[in-house]
Amino acid sequence: MAEMPEAHLESSGRNPRGHKRGASNVTARRERPEAERMQLMEQVVARENMLRAYQQVVGNKGAAGVDEMTVEELKPHLQKHWARIKEELLSGRYQPQAVRCVEIPKPAGGMRQLGIPTVVDRLIQQALHQVLSPYFEENFSPSSYGFRPRRNAQQAIAKAREYAAEGRRFVVDIDLEKFFDRVNHDILMSRVTRRISDKRVLALIRRYLQAGLMTGGLVSPRVEGTPQGGPLSPLLSNIMLDELDKELERRGHKFCRYADDCNIYVQSRRAGERVLKSLTKFLSERLRLQVNEGKSAVGRIWERKFLGYTMTWHKPPRLKAAKSSLQRLKAKVRTIMRKGRGRSLAQIIKELNPLLRGWMQYYRLSQVKGIFEELDGWLRRRLRCIKWRQWKQPRTRMKELMKCGLTKERAWKSANNGRGAWYNAGASHMNEALPKKYFDSLGLVSLFEQLRHFQLST
């Protein structure tokens, strides 16, 4: 790149507009005259903004797009071509490449379609996001938590529990059908235009929305949707659904929205059914979005889940990991344990621990501890099961059990009981031979102890 790409950028403590971090968004908004809003593309291609975007894209890594260029190849490419790309952006002539279609399995089943832009387009989208985000952030609802700075899923979950504790023990759970695939471009662009005046930026966003989708080597045009996978899509989704937030606020509802997952908390089932019916009509008529009737419903707070959590019937309710979340964790654990059962338990635990820590970090708000004790016990039993199979022959099992401190008679009887690995992994002889302290010595993360640590530190 002529003068932009560097491996590292020292933090200046300022955002792309020169405002100190932490400054009031409202103040920042007042300092933006119309002339500045007409010159946003100059801010997009500014050296500091592009360096930040470059670091973000390289740090995120990610797969190559249709041109097969990797993030490692981005810097030399920009050194050679940045002057041309910058001139095309400033003149409004830049044309994005098609995005590569990739399908990944959804946690609840089915496939999710991702659109992977080229690394150059990811860089430009990230630069756009950094400049545009402050113009919209100041106006977004405090009840919107997804894809926003200093906001996360745990805050949404804690607020949801707060609403339920106030007596709103019914929830209107709205699921938008294929939201990212069905966003209407004209409606979305009309919302963007309310705050953005630079016609070059508006035209570029429209081109990114309409960039073709490559599947199996063939590029198909796109007339709707903003596929997940690009840095700009999260911001555009929040711009689109901000109108839903404003309508809910106008009606005085208590709600939490994370991306396209929206829960409204009400005091009765009848009120919830009215809300669901009226919002289905509002979304269809105003935003041309369809509510998934099969997944949307009105129910008790303990009957529905939100962002992987559910609540108990207690007053006030307690947060706990949803059953489906536990099932997904167990499925991932089984996959890791099936990878070559000839490995030592220490090797398996080393691979398990990052998964367990990450899962526990997300579910640290849970107030039902018994689930975590049960998971710890299940994990240890799975590991004992592997050990039992590795010992294979009754004679070997007898010797190993004796090494672990069992008497010869008990070791012989246990090794020759003729029962399967899962039974023996849960039996008293294996619990005594390989107790919890044995797994602690191997470094196995305890979910229950991690939860207790989180609760003590907050």
Side-chain angles (χ1 to χ4, degrees):
M1 194 178 200
E3 55 179 26
M4 188 271 286
E6 295 177 0
H8 300 282
L9 174 68
E10 293 184 3
S11 174
S12 67
R14 293 175 178 268
N15 67 23
R17 278 168 196 78
H19 301 301
K20 290 183 179 179
R21 291 193 181 106
S24 166
N25 278 337
V26 175
T27 303
R29 175 64 175 159
R30 288 172 182 164
E31 294 172 358
R32 296 177 197 142
E34 181 64 20
E36 178 186 326
R37 297 170 64 197
M38 293 288 289
Q39 301 295 319
L40 287 183
M41 189 61 80
E42 280 73 14
Q43 297 176 42
V44 171
V45 301
R47 176 182 173 80
E48 182 182 356
N49 187 56
M50 293 304 299
L51 283 172
R52 286 180 56 215
Y54 175 82
Q55 288 183 314
Q56 188 70 34
V57 170
V58 172
N60 289 343
K61 298 181 180 180
V66 296
D67 61 356
E68 299 184 354
M69 184 190 299
T70 64
V71 290
E72 291 77 16
E73 298 170 309
L74 178 58
K75 183 176 180 179
H77 177 84
L78 293 173
Q79 287 172 330
K80 185 176 181 181
H81 299 286
W82 172 241
R84 173 184 57 80
I85 296 170
K86 180 179 179 180
E87 192 279 327
E88 289 178 356
L89 288 168
L90 288 172
S91 64
R93 295 184 293 108
Y94 182 81
Q95 292 290 339
Q97 295 190 65
V99 297
R100 183 166 65 89
C101 181
V102 176
E103 290 189 337
I104 61 172
K106 291 182 179 180
M111 302 298 289
R112 174 178 286 116
Q113 189 181 82
L114 299 183
I116 309 299
T118 64
V119 288
V120 173
D121 282 325
R122 292 211 293 273
L123 174 73
I124 297 170
Q125 284 195 34
Q126 179 63 35
L128 276 168
H129 183 281
Q130 291 167 183
V131 169
L132 298 182
S133 182
Y135 282 86
F136 294 94
E137 266 297 319
E138 64 201 25
N139 197 49
F140 282 157
S141 168
S143 297
S144 166
Y145 295 88
F147 310 126
R148 296 183 61 190
R150 298 176 296 279
R151 286 177 165 264
N152 55 47
Q154 281 82 6
Q155 292 171 337
I157 293 156
K159 180 58 73 171
R161 179 185 176 274
E162 181 182 315
Y163 290 147
E166 292 172 352
R168 298 175 178 86
R169 293 169 66 82
F170 287 87
V171 59
V172 183
D173 188 351
I174 293 181
D175 182 272
L176 295 175
E177 190 166 3
K178 296 183 179 179
F179 168 71
F180 285 93
D181 298 334
R182 295 185 176 176
V183 168
N184 183 280
H185 290 173
D186 292 334
I187 293 176
L188 173 57
M189 289 306 302
S190 71
R191 275 54 179 177
V192 175
T193 306
R194 291 173 183 174
R195 289 187 171 267
I196 303 302
S197 304
D198 192 321
K199 293 182 179 180
R200 297 164 299 176
V201 170
L202 295 171
L204 183 57
I205 294 173
R206 172 78 75 165
R207 290 187 193 121
Y208 274 123
L209 290 171
Q210 295 176 339
L213 197 65
M214 179 177 282
T215 307
L218 299 175
V219 177
S220 56
R222 207 164 68 231
V223 295
E224 63 178 2
T226 170
Q228 299 174 76
L232 202 53
S233 290
L235 175 61
L236 295 178
S237 69
N238 275 333
I239 293 171
M240 185 73 168
L241 291 176
D242 184 59
E243 192 151 342
L244 170 63
D245 298 341
K246 295 298 187 290
E247 178 66 14
L248 290 170
E249 289 175 344
R250 187 185 67 79
R251 299 183 187 186
H253 290 307
K254 303 296 184 181
F255 68 99
C256 297
R257 183 178 66 79
Y258 192 96
D260 59 335
D261 197 348
C262 184
N263 277 9
I264 303 115
Y265 295 87
V266 295
Q267 294 180 331
S268 70
R269 186 178 296 275
R270 180 177 293 180
E273 289 171 350
R274 285 198 305 267
V275 170
L276 180 57
K277 183 178 179 180
S278 62
L279 287 181
T280 299
K281 182 179 179 182
F282 171 83
L283 288 164
S284 176
E285 294 180 354
R286 290 288 294 275
L287 300 179
R288 298 187 192 174
L289 295 172
Q290 298 299 313
V291 171
N292 188 327
E293 295 182 2
K295 294 183 179 180
S296 301
V298 179
R300 291 283 194 176
I301 53 173
W302 56 87
E303 297 172 340
R304 309 297 296 180
K305 62 183 178 69
F306 180 51
L307 302 177
Y309 278 81
T310 187
M311 301 185 212
T312 67
W313 51 267
H314 299 89
K315 292 184 179 181
R318 301 173 190 168
L319 291 170
K320 69 174 184 178
K323 185 178 180 180
S324 58
S325 304
L326 304 178
Q327 292 170 342
R328 286 196 296 272
L329 174 66
K330 288 184 175 182
K332 291 177 181 177
V333 167
R334 291 188 185 99
T335 299
I336 290 173
M337 290 186 175
R338 289 191 190 109
K339 293 179 183 177
R341 288 175 177 162
R343 295 177 299 166
S344 68
L345 291 191
Q347 290 174 312
I348 296 171
I349 288 170
K350 186 178 180 180
E351 190 172 350
L352 276 176
N353 279 345
L355 169 66
L356 299 177
R357 288 193 184 98
W359 194 87
M360 189 63 250
Q361 177 68 24
Y362 184 79
Y363 289 98
R364 66 184 183 272
L365 298 183
S366 182
Q367 298 164 301
V368 180
K369 300 178 182 179
I371 290 173
F372 297 87
E373 287 186 291
E374 291 175 10
L375 275 174
D376 280 345
W378 179 82
L379 283 164
R380 292 193 293 269
R381 186 171 181 179
R382 293 284 308 185
L383 291 166
R384 292 187 189 105
C385 191
I386 291 173
K387 201 69 173 173
W388 184 262
R389 288 194 176 103
Q390 288 177 346
W391 289 342
K392 294 184 179 179
Q393 300 299 323
R395 181 177 295 181
T396 305
R397 289 169 178 166
M398 176 181 170
K399 290 180 180 179
E400 294 295 337
L401 288 171
M402 289 175 64
K403 286 180 185 178
C404 293
L406 272 67
T407 64
K408 182 176 181 180
E409 181 181 357
R410 189 177 179 203
W412 182 88
K413 186 176 180 180
S414 299
N416 290 276
N417 62 23
R419 308 296 285 265
W422 184 247
Y423 169 85
N424 280 284
S428 60
H429 54 271
M430 281 297 281
N431 277 269
E432 186 176 330
L434 304 178
K436 180 182 181 299
K437 64 181 180 181
Y438 168 78
F439 294 103
D440 290 342
S441 70
L442 293 178
L444 178 66
V445 167
S446 167
L447 296 173
F448 177 74
E449 290 174 5
Q450 288 274 308
L451 177 64
R452 187 168 57 182
H453 172 75
F454 281 131
Q455 292 178 341
L456 288 174
S457 62
T458 55

